[in-house]
């Protein structure tokens, strides 16, 4: 079963089954949800349930596909970053000014000043915990202090 599956249930579907017994309505709705979420079917023995769900399968598939297309399009929407924060951070730690970095990267000084890489330039780099642990072991000649 796929995660985060979305599909649309239309009010007219509920209106269509209104005259059926409640137990059959429940089965139909359950099968619609199972089909829409790729969970398989349970009520294969009921021809009314199967007929109703089969009629709606193409509509459910259409709504799922349309939703997935919107999700994919939204991933590429919006303004793209013009600067590489890692490169800015590297150059800043080499001692370059924001003006020099802007000239190197071909962008405005303001883009550099507002970047996460420039903001992180004065933060201490994260140490490798494994190297740090090896140094501690060497310091105490293998004796651990708690």
């Amino acid at each position: 079963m796929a995660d985060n599956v979305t599909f649309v249930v239309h009010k007219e579907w509920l209106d269509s089954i209104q005259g059926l017994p409640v137990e059959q309505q429940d089965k139909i709705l359950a099968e619609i949800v199972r089909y829409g979420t790729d969970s398989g079917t349970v009520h294969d023995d009921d021809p009314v349930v199967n007929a109703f769900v089969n009629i709606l399968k193409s509509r459910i598939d259409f709504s799922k596909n349309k939703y997935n297309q919107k999700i994919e399009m939204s991933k590429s929407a919006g303004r793209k970053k013009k600067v590489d924060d890692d490169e800015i951070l590297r150059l800043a730690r080499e001692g370059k000014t924001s003006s020099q970095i802007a000239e190197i990267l071909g962008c405005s000084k303001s883009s550099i000043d507002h970047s996460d890489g420039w903001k992180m330039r004065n933060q201490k780099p994260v140490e490798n915990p494994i190297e740090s642990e090896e140094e501690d072991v060497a310091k105490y000649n293998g004796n651990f202090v708690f």
Side-chain angles (χ1 to χ4, degrees):
M1 182 172 83
D3 292 337
N4 298 325
V5 176
T6 302
F7 69 100
V8 176
V9 175
H10 297 270
K11 184 182 179 313
E12 65 213 31
W13 299 354
L14 301 175
D15 294 341
S16 298
I17 63 173
Q18 190 173 4
L20 297 173
V22 173
E23 296 80 23
Q24 210 164 29
Q25 290 180 31
D26 291 345
K27 286 180 183 180
I28 291 171
L29 292 174
E31 288 303 310
I32 289 171
V33 171
R34 282 190 189 92
Y35 181 80
T37 58
D38 302 322
S39 300
T41 57
V42 175
H43 301 101
D44 290 333
D45 58 336
D46 190 330
V48 175
V49 171
N50 285 330
F52 195 87
V53 173
N54 285 333
I55 290 169
L56 297 179
K57 282 182 179 180
S58 63
R59 183 68 183 183
I60 293 169
D61 291 341
F62 176 79
S63 75
K64 284 170 53 176
N65 289 336
K66 191 170 182 175
Y67 176 79
N68 289 332
Q69 287 173 351
K70 285 181 181 181
I71 295 298
E72 286 304 313
M73 290 184 67
S74 70
K75 289 179 183 177
S76 62
R79 187 172 176 197
K80 305 297 178 246
K81 276 191 145 186
K82 294 181 181 179
V83 293
D84 179 6
D85 288 323
D86 293 332
E87 182 68 6
I88 292 170
L89 180 59
R90 185 185 67 76
L91 292 168
R93 288 192 172 154
E94 287 178 4
K96 305 250 189 285
T97 66
S98 59
S99 297
Q100 291 170 328
I101 296 171
E103 189 174 323
I104 291 168
L105 298 180
C107 62
S108 70
K109 180 182 177 301
S110 177
S111 292
I112 302 302
D113 291 338
H114 290 94
S115 72
D116 291 335
W118 183 253
K119 292 173 186 171
M120 293 173 39
R121 71 189 182 282
N122 295 324
Q123 292 179 1
K124 185 177 179 183
V126 177
E127 292 182 15
N128 184 342
I130 294 172
E131 290 173 8
S132 206
E133 189 176 295
E134 290 170 356
E135 291 170 7
D136 290 343
V137 170
K139 253 191 253 181
Y140 296 108
N141 296 324
N143 298 321
F144 292 97
V145 179
F146 295 98

